[in-house]
Amino acid sequence: MITDDNYLEFLNSIPELTDKQKASEELIFNVTEDILLAMQDTGFTQSQLANALGKSKAHVSSLLNGTRNMTLKTLSDINFVLGTEIKVKITHEGRDVSMPVLGEIDVNRYEISTDIVEKPKHLFFTIMMPSETICAQ
């Protein structure tokens, strides 16, 4: 079985790959492996996932082996079908710079503005905190 460590070792053994390409391959590997683990945990086969997504088994196989680009929409659809939850964490120099997931916000800590501005196809609201503002759409 390939693990993060030996996949990273494999990527580093290819001198032609740039750091950007290695980072891309590592992210693809991690996401597709996590999906495969979620499928195993939920009992889904690739055929069942393909049927639920309305895609061919070959299409799903290409997504999961990293040869086909997976959009965030497709990732969201897979997440929905599997009944799993995706959490994205973006860090910079070891510090989490991600916005909190709306479901994880303790609304009792914040003053929520009643001014809701509706824009075409988007709904914006603002949550005020003592030292920062979170805007969501």
Side-chain angles (χ1 to χ4, degrees), residues 78-131:
I78 291 170
N79 175 64
F80 181 80
V81 166
L82 295 178
T84 55
E85 179 180 357
I86 296 173
K87 293 187 178 188
V88 176
K89 180 178 176 180
I90 298 176
T91 60
H92 180 254
E93 298 176 351
R95 184 175 56 87
D96 186 353
V97 296
S98 305
M99 282 187 60
V101 177
L102 291 179
E104 295 177 353
I105 294 175
D106 178 4
V107 293
N108 295 322
R109 284 185 52 207
Y110 311 109
E111 173 188 327
I112 300 177
S113 171
T114 56
D115 299 328
I116 297 178
V117 180
E118 192 170 334
K119 294 190 175 186
K121 297 185 182 180
H122 292 90
L123 186 64
F124 294 87
F125 63 92
T126 303
I127 298 174
M128 303 298 292
M129 299 186 326
S131 61

Side-chain angles (χ1 to χ4, degrees), residues 70-85:
M70 186 181 316
T71 65
L72 290 174
K73 168 132 179 26
T74 300
L75 181 58
S76 176
D77 291 347
I78 291 170
N79 175 64
F80 181 80
V81 166
L82 295 178
T84 55
E85 179 180 357

